Amino acid sequence: MSTTTPISPTVADPTAAPEQATGPAAATETRPLTTADRCDACGAQAYLRVVLASGELLFCAHHGRAHREILERQALFIQDESDRLTRTSEVD
């Protein structure tokens, strides 16, 4: 299960169905991170999406952890899906 760190009261529930939204509130809604989303620091697969007042940044788990403290102070919203790296898939 991915986690989000709400810094703003306009954070969407990550388990809720996505809605069509526009404007500033749309930036704080979760969306699944895919293999096409790449870390802005190194190009690895992104597992963190950080929304700032000036735009959005994507980070791999390593760079997300390395910069977490400063990002939490400045971010409007942080979507963290790094738990996907340690999650085991269930096989029936």
Side-chain angles (χ1 to χ4, degrees):
M1 173 191 252
S2 63
T3 61
T4 57
T5 303
I7 307 299
S8 165
T10 59
V11 175
D13 178 3
T15 60
E19 297 177 12
Q20 296 293 340
T22 58
T28 60
E29 295 200 14
T30 61
R31 63 170 174 78
L33 294 174
T34 69
T35 56
D37 293 310
R38 310 311 288 182
C39 176
D40 289 322
C42 70
Q45 183 174 348
Y47 289 95
L48 277 87
R49 182 172 73 101
V50 180
V51 178
L52 304 166
S54 59
E56 176 180 286
L57 292 172
L58 299 173
F59 291 102
C60 64
H62 165 78
H63 285 108
R65 279 191 304 270
H67 303 291
R68 184 81 184 204
E69 186 177 320
I70 193 147
L71 291 171
E72 286 179 341
R73 284 185 272 166
Q74 297 190 11
L76 300 175
F77 175 78
I78 298 175
Q79 177 181 344
D80 183 359
E81 295 185 6
S82 61
D83 66 323
R84 292 175 29 207
L85 292 167
T86 57
R87 188 182 321 156
T88 58
S89 56
E90 296 179 19
V91 179
D92 293 326

